Amino acid sequence: MDDHRVPRRPAMLDPRDAEALTGELDPAMRDEVAHVTARILVDRARTTEDPAVVDRLVRLVEHEGLDTVAELWADAAPSSLPGALWRIYVLREWVRRDLQTIVLRYRLGVDAAPVSEAVAGVPSPPEPDNLRQLADAVLSGVFTGDLAVALERAGAFCRILSTGAAFDADAREHADPRAASSMTHGASSLLRTAEELEHAADLWRQGLLE
């Protein structure tokens, strides 16, 4: 028997272990922990033939909590594997928690971003289930498909949502300037996230995303 065989059901993150690891480490060690844990998850998923493992990794935040995952990866550079994973998990969690807003922003932005729509791969007009499935499919692609394509799809999704948020802000500017300002800021953040994910995809293709 190969002593280095990857288990069919890899251990997931234990919140208590994660807190102990990250809370007492200096920044350099925290960064190393982020990179190691991200690489372990991706490598294990790509060496298993058990779809249940991939499904559990897709639902990592649901099982372990967003705070636990944030402790490990939220501070990682966007041009790193843990930083890219963190952004995709946050995007999926946003879809899961606020699907109504996601659908509204996507419908507002999709016609202005046809190229992004093609990359995102969502039918038009999109239904809530389509967007929920996209978020899951992107994460599944991280673990089973071409990771660069998964990152690009996530980036395209963010671009569409950014455009939708900007249109929503314009529509509300006179009635609710404060809300419009907040939406404009959110649109800018989403565009930056899209660019970061696209850059991470380029790095992965070059073998430089660590």
Side-chain angles (χ1 to χ4, degrees):
M1 181 180 295
D2 183 354
D3 291 338
H4 299 287
R5 181 174 60 86
V6 176
R8 286 180 61 82
R9 293 184 63 81
M12 304 304 288
L13 303 173
D14 185 309
R16 293 167 299 180
D17 292 343
E19 182 178 355
L21 276 173
T22 58
E24 300 174 2
L25 299 179
D26 63 41
M29 186 61 72
R30 286 174 65 101
D31 188 60
E32 182 176 349
V33 169
H35 283 76
V36 168
T37 53
R39 176 57 64 181
I40 286 173
L41 286 184
V42 171
D43 287 349
R44 283 183 172 180
R46 288 174 174 269
T47 54
T48 183
E49 297 180 357
D50 187 350
V53 171
V54 175
D55 181 71
R56 186 164 172 80
L57 290 173
V58 168
R59 302 178 188 282
L60 179 64
V61 170
E62 294 170 52
H63 291 295
E64 310 297 341
L66 189 62
D67 289 346
T68 297
V69 180
E71 281 288 334
L72 290 170
W73 296 341
D75 293 333
S79 57
S80 68
L81 182 59
L85 288 178
W86 168 245
R87 282 156 179 76
I88 294 179
Y89 273 114
V90 169
L91 180 61
R92 180 184 182 274
E93 187 66 2
W94 183 24
V95 172
R96 194 174 73 87
R97 295 187 181 187
D98 194 7
L99 186 58
Q100 183 176 357
T101 297
I102 294 292
V103 172
L104 171 64
R105 300 282 169 77
Y106 194 98
R107 288 175 175 171
L108 287 172
V110 69
D111 289 338
V115 174
S116 293
E117 178 188 12
V119 176
V122 176
S124 182
E127 297 296 331
D129 281 347
N130 299 141
L131 300 182
R132 193 183 291 114
Q133 290 163 7
L134 171 63
D136 287 351
V138 166
L139 264 173
S140 294
V142 167
F143 299 123
T144 62
D146 185 330
L147 194 148
V149 171
L151 293 171
E152 286 172 341
R153 292 187 74 190
F157 194 20
C158 287
R159 282 188 180 275
I160 293 171
L161 295 178
S162 172
T163 302
F167 284 151
D168 201 4
D170 288 344
R172 300 187 188 214
E173 185 173 2
H174 296 297
D176 192 345
R178 181 174 297 180
S181 177
S182 177
M183 289 177 189
T184 299
H185 178 75
S188 177
S189 296
L190 280 165
L191 180 59
R192 182 172 62 252
T193 298
E195 293 169 346
E196 291 167 348
L197 289 166
E198 291 159 357
H199 180 55
D202 288 338
L203 292 175
W204 178 260
R205 287 198 171 98
Q206 298 173 52
L208 299 176
L209 188 67
E210 301 291 342

